[in-house]
RNA sequence: UCGCGGGUAGUUCAACUGGCAGAACACCAGACUUUGAAUCUGGGGGUUGCAGGUUCGAGCCCUGCCCCGCGAGCCA
């Protein structure tokens, strides 16, 4: 919505949104609309995307990004990128750069400069002293184990720390000592003094600061005490003027703490409000940085940008268009229900986009030689092929044709099974953008596998039709043997074979699919495929969409296959055969 | 065990806040087709977790129960 003042806009629902914008009316958007109606936050809307720079972004983050940026755009608000870099452990400039790059690739631009929670360390420190002065925070000398034990449990009371009653003056001196390096790592912490009997564990005197002598990627050695997430997050929101702080469901219990901290501080803006929604779940896809790090470290994948990874870099390398990812996360919607979306939905958005935009090319992945026996000696032809039937402006290209061709092994059967209507002895098919050919003879190897198919062509069928108008049932792709160029193709299957990896407390890595990648080094490509851009995605006709590798333009990654009706037919045939067999066995059993 | 959140086609979400339960993807069938693709048409699919209650009328309100998720880091 581009209306300047959303409150005064007529209640026209989503009618005036442009096609690119979200048309959702989820509970968050409804809530923001209601806030605007009641003039809360002075009708201002500000969100933020707050990743910790300790890993790369994945498709789960895409949902959070889309939500925050789209909501801001729809309500004429702003959305910033803020790095939640409160804990130097595991954080690195490498990830900051990577996240900015991935965010830009996904198609989003922060409303202002990139922000860092670490820029607020001094303000956070000052606020901590304020809380100490008010008697709302204290220094605890106990170790982590003791503090944890005293916290109690669900339905069990907590125990107050013996240091809980220290005076503000005493706490102030100790806290400054923490900052100034008087104590060892872990020797002391600063805690909020809230309620050790609260039913909400987050409120049982949570830790605000810990001592950690570790260089921070941005503040270096300036600080040796670092704020925890809870002590930093709401305040960062408040400093920036965030109005709606959107996060995932696991932070629901933290909201009470978020509010407690902010209500005890003098804030420069209205107090922001946290709202939670469910994170993205995807079948066959664990969604955890921890698991991804193990895949990388154990060498199961080549890196964070391996095309099998659900990271944004991995998906980009695989050829997933950013717009398809955006459409997908938008379509999944925002709710509070824990859910797992079928990965087929994502793939359908990828196909829809690529079908619209990608050039058609011919490539033979598993080559079988075809010899045209009646082709005029020494002759060569250039045929015209359409680049994209979905896009007239994409034009045409020429493909060379000669006496020897490569076709797909799957496209020829000596004894065709039921409903198979590709090439077989005596049968005529059309070569895409070429001629009709009929198979006559086959040469086979010792095991009976075809090595060469001898065919005749109909000279009158150039362009794909004949004067007599006779029909053929199949059109197959091909590449001229004399003109083909070589290349490598990576075929990908699911990285995990279980639709819900790690379900029931099992190790997600236990269901890693050992056959997630198949590399074909002997593929035959039409000449034009020697001239492609890194990252470009083309459709290999009848096979699928393939992305040119970012570093090596002779390597193609299968982004996603085409829908394959023939494969479905075969599956059904096998299934019904098995059922017949089982029925036969059951009959035998019964009669015996 | 305690607290919080959640249960609507196979899946993800809608249902204008109490008024004929819909869409997309998936699945099935047909049409069309120089990609067994795409496109088009149609179809199967639901005891709205369960049991009561209020109401002319309940997916929505009330009561009880069941199931699932999250929460006891000096992680975020």
């Amino acid at each position: 919505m581009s209306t300047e003042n959303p409150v005064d806009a007529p209640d026209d629902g989503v009618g005036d949104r442009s096609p690119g914008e979200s048309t959702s009316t989820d509970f968050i958007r409804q809530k923001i609309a209601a806030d605007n109606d009641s003039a809360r936050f002075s009708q201002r809307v500000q969100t933020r995307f707050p990743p910790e720079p300790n890993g790369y972004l994945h498709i789960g983050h895409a949902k959070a990004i889309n939500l925050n940026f789209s909501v801001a755009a729809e309500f004429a608000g702003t959305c910033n990128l803020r790095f939640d870099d409160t804990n130097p452990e595991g954080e690195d400039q490498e990830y900051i750069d990577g996240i900015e790059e991935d965010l830009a690739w996904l198609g989003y631009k922060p409303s202002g400069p990139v922000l860092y929670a670490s820029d607020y360390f001094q303000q956070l420190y000052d606020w901590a002293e304020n809380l100490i002065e008010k008697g709302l925070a204290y220094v605890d000398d106990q170790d982590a184990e003791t503090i944890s034990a005293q916290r109690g449990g669900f339905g069990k009371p907590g125990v107050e720390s013996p240091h809980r009653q220290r005076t503000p003056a005493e706490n102030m001196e100790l806290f400054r000592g923490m900052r100034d390096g008087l104590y060892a790592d872990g020797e002391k912490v600063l805690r909020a003094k809230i309620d050790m009997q609260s039913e909400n564990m987050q409120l049982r005197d949570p830790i605000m600061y810990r001592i950690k002598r570790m260089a921070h990627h941005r503040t270096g050695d300036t600080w040796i005490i670092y704020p925890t997430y809870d002590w930093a997050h709401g305040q960062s929101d408040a400093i920036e003027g965030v109005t709606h702080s959107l996060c995932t469901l696991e932070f629901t219990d933290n909201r009470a703490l978020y509010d407690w901290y902010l209500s005890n501080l003098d804030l420069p803006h209205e107090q922001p409000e946290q709202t939670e929604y469910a994170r993205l779940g995807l079948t066959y896809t664990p969604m955890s940085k921890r698991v991804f790090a193990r895949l990388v470290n154990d060498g199961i994948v080549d890196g964070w940008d391996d095309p099998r990874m659900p990271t944004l870099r991995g998906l980009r390398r695989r050829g997933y268009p950013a717009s398809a990812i955006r459409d997908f996360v938008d379509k999944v919607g925002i709710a509070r229900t824990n859910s797992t979306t079928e990965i087929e939905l994502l793939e359908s958005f990828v196909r829809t986009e690529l079908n619209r935009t990608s050039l058609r090319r011919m490539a033979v992945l598993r080559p079988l030689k075809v010899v045209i026996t009646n082709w005029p000696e020494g002759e060569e032809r250039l045929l015209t092929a359409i680049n994209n039937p979905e896009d007239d402006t994409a034009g045409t290209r020429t493909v060379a044709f000669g006496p020897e061709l490569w076709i797909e092994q799957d496209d020829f059967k000596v004894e065709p099974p039921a409903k198979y209507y590709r090439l077989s002895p005596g049968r005529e098919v059309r070569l895409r953008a070429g001629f009709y050919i009929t198979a006559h003879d086959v040469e086979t190897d010792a095991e009976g596998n075809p090595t060469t198919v001898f065919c005749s062509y109909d000279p009158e069928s150039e362009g794909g039709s004949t004067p007599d108008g006779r029909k053929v049932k199949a059109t197959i792709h091909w590449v001229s043997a004399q003109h083909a160029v070589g290349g490598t193709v990576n075929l990908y299957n699911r990285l995990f074979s279980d639709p819900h990896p790690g379900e029931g407390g099992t190790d997600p890595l236990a269901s890693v699919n050992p056959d997630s990648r198949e590399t074909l080094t002997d593929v035959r490509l039409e000449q034009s495929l020697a001239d492609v851009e890194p990252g470009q995605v083309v459709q290999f006709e009848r096979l699928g969409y393939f992305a040119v590798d970012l570093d090596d333009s002779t390597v193609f990654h299968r982004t996603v296959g085409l829908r394959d009706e023939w494969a479905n037919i075969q599956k059904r045939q096998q299934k019904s055969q098995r059922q017949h067999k089982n029925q036969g066995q059951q009959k035998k059993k019964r009669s015996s």
Side-chain angles (χ1 to χ4, degrees):
Chain A
M1 230 184 295
S2 54
T3 319
E4 277 181 36
N5 188 345
V7 171
D8 292 333
D11 182 22
D12 53 4
V14 299
D16 62 346
R17 271 196 254 275
S18 67
E21 286 179 359
S22 171
T23 53
S24 311
T25 54
D26 53 74
F27 77 97
I28 287 181
R29 281 173 240 251
Q30 287 175 17
K31 187 180 173 352
I32 294 174
D35 286 343
N36 280 350
D37 286 346
S38 67
R40 190 172 175 194
F41 302 116
S42 315
Q43 294 165 2
R44 209 166 53 78
V45 175
Q46 183 171 336
T47 58
R48 97 271 93 114
F49 172 60
E52 185 188 14
N54 66 347
Y56 289 96
L57 262 25
H58 54 68
I59 187 154
H61 291 111
K63 178 175 175 178
I65 291 167
N66 179 255
L67 205 221
N68 280 290
F69 281 91
S70 303
V71 157
E74 287 159 35
F75 290 92
T78 58
C79 178
N80 290 318
L81 168 63
R82 175 174 80 234
F83 286 103
D84 222 340
D85 56 349
T86 56
N87 182 0
E89 199 163 338
E91 295 175 0
D92 199 283
Q93 184 64 38
E94 172 195 348
Y95 299 123
I96 291 177
D97 298 339
I99 288 168
E100 287 187 40
E101 197 179 294
D102 290 347
L103 182 69
W105 173 75
L106 231 208
Y108 297 92
K109 195 171 174 306
S111 304
V114 176
L115 306 170
Y116 298 86
S118 54
D119 283 348
Y120 315 137
F121 281 175
Q122 184 60 47
Q123 172 70 77
L124 257 14
Y125 177 85
D126 294 341
W127 270 333
E129 287 203 348
N130 291 162
L131 248 45
I132 290 172
E133 281 164 11
K134 290 188 194 172
L136 293 175
Y138 63 96
V139 173
D140 198 338
D141 304 349
Q142 303 180 106
D143 61 26
E145 216 170 296
T146 308
I147 290 174
S148 172
Q150 287 178 348
R151 189 126 44 212
F154 307 135
K156 294 195 195 93
V159 175
E160 296 189 352
S161 165
H163 307 117
R164 198 169 196 265
Q165 299 307 328
R166 291 216 253 234
T167 63
E170 198 182 347
N171 282 318
M172 191 67 80
E173 193 187 334
L174 290 168
F175 183 49
R176 289 178 178 165
M178 283 171 62
R179 176 197 59 188
D180 296 338
L182 265 43
Y183 311 109
D185 287 16
E187 195 179 332
K188 285 183 172 30
V189 289
L190 184 71
R191 289 228 256 170
K193 191 170 174 178
I194 309 180
D195 178 7
M196 288 305 290
Q197 311 310 329
S198 174
E199 286 160 339
N200 183 343
M201 290 298 153
Q202 309 301 325
L203 264 21
R204 315 251 271 218
D205 289 9
I207 310 291
M208 295 165 61
Y209 275 97
R210 67 283 216 189
I211 306 172
K212 198 174 258 191
R213 283 176 174 77
M214 180 178 274
H216 186 279
H217 52 99
R218 294 192 75 249
T219 61
D221 298 323
T222 306
W223 296 89
I224 62 164
I225 57 171
Y226 290 100
T228 55
Y229 163 83
D230 288 295
W231 175 245
H233 200 92
Q235 289 85 309
S236 301
D237 287 342
I239 289 167
E240 294 166 4
V242 167
T243 55
H244 300 269
S245 183
L246 312 177
C247 65
T248 44
L249 244 26
E250 67 269 24
F251 292 100
T252 303
D253 287 350
N254 298 57
R255 188 173 66 237
L257 182 53
Y258 182 103
D259 292 340
W260 189 90
Y261 281 142
L262 293 182
S263 64
N264 284 299
L265 266 19
D266 285 327
L267 304 176
H269 300 276
E270 301 105 308
Q271 182 169 328
E273 185 186 22
Q274 171 181 312
T275 304
E276 313 85 19
Y277 61 92
R279 61 192 309 157
L280 178 68
L282 252 194
T283 53
Y284 299 99
T285 313
M287 206 69 81
S288 129
K289 267 188 221 167
R290 218 192 81 252
V291 171
F292 300 154
R294 284 177 65 198
L295 290 170
V296 172
N297 295 333
D298 294 358
I300 295 169
V301 296
D302 293 341
W304 289 93
D305 63 346
D306 187 296
R308 290 165 292 183
M309 291 282 273
T311 51
L312 294 185
R313 319 166 83 67
L315 297 173
R316 171 177 24 172
R317 193 128 177 263
R318 174 85 170 248
Y320 278 38
S323 65
I325 296 173
R326 275 187 260 126
D327 290 347
F328 166 71
V329 293
D330 198 72
K331 182 69 191 178
V332 163
I334 300 296
R336 290 180 70 90
T337 318
N338 278 301
S339 60
T340 306
T341 300
E342 290 170 341
I343 195 153
E344 285 81 356
L345 183 62
L346 206 209
E347 291 172 342
S348 102
F349 277 101
V350 172
R351 287 196 190 96
T352 300
E353 175 65 9
L354 260 18
N355 176 54
R356 239 190 65 230
T357 57
S358 68
L359 299 178
R360 312 294 126 121
R361 292 294 183 261
M362 290 199 285
V364 175
L365 266 30
R366 295 181 173 85
L368 170 63
K369 174 72 71 72
V370 163
V371 174
I372 311 289
T373 51
N374 59 338
W375 186 259
E377 180 105 23
E379 197 169 310
E380 215 173 83
R381 292 290 288 282
L382 286 178
L383 305 172
T384 300
I386 292 169
N387 279 330
N388 183 355
E390 307 287 325
D391 178 8
D392 294 338
T393 65
T396 60
R397 69 188 186 284
T398 55
V399 286
F401 191 96
E404 293 196 353
L405 312 172
W406 298 109
I407 66 165
E408 212 67 60
Q409 286 170 20
D410 276 353
D411 287 340
F412 175 79
K413 288 272 185 294
V414 178
E415 288 170 28
K419 289 190 179 165
Y420 184 90
Y421 48 81
R422 275 112 96 146
L423 196 62
S424 62
R427 195 181 291 174
E428 184 171 49
V429 300
R430 173 166 42 229
L431 296 174
R432 179 74 164 151
F435 299 90
Y436 284 17
I437 60 170
T438 306
H440 299 298
D441 290 304
V442 199
E443 208 171 75
T444 57
D445 63 14
E447 281 106 54
N449 300 314
T451 51
T452 307
V453 183
F454 296 93
C455 299
S456 63
Y457 86 111
D458 178 350
E460 293 195 306
S461 65
E462 178 167 358
S465 59
T466 56
D468 65 6
R470 71 180 187 277
K471 302 276 186 205
V472 290
K473 285 214 90 169
T475 301
I476 66 175
H477 60 276
W478 53 277
V479 170
S480 164
Q482 282 88 336
H483 308 87
V485 293
T488 298
V489 163
N490 287 320
L491 264 21
Y492 298 107
N493 299 309
R494 321 235 99 114
L495 223 201
F496 293 84
S497 44
D498 191 314
H500 304 279
E503 199 179 41
T506 58
D507 183 1
L509 291 233
S511 60
V512 164
N513 175 11
D515 303 314
S516 58
R517 178 172 62 194
E518 185 181 357
T519 300
L520 304 173
T521 53
D522 190 29
V523 304
R524 309 298 157 96
L525 312 170
E526 69 166 80
Q527 270 174 306
S528 67
L529 285 170
D531 183 28
V532 286
E533 304 276 317
Q536 183 183 353
V537 183
V538 296
Q539 184 195 91
F540 289 173
E541 292 210 54
R542 301 207 308 134
L543 296 175
Y545 299 97
F546 291 76
V548 180
D549 187 71
L550 268 12
D551 302 318
D552 181 348
S553 62
T554 68
V555 173
F556 293 80
H557 305 284
R558 182 168 66 187
T559 309
V560 63
L562 259 22
R563 286 192 55 212
D564 190 347
E565 182 61 22
W566 172 237
N568 285 345
I569 291 170
Q570 286 174 297
K571 253 181 240 162
R572 280 198 293 267
Q573 285 175 344
Q574 280 167 13
K575 202 170 159 189
S576 73
Q577 268 172 19
R578 247 178 290 142
Q579 278 170 354
H580 281 300
K581 226 188 236 172
N582 288 345
Q583 277 170 7
Q585 281 168 352
Q586 277 169 8
K587 256 183 208 166
K588 249 189 229 166
K589 257 187 208 164
R590 254 174 279 154
S591 60
S592 66

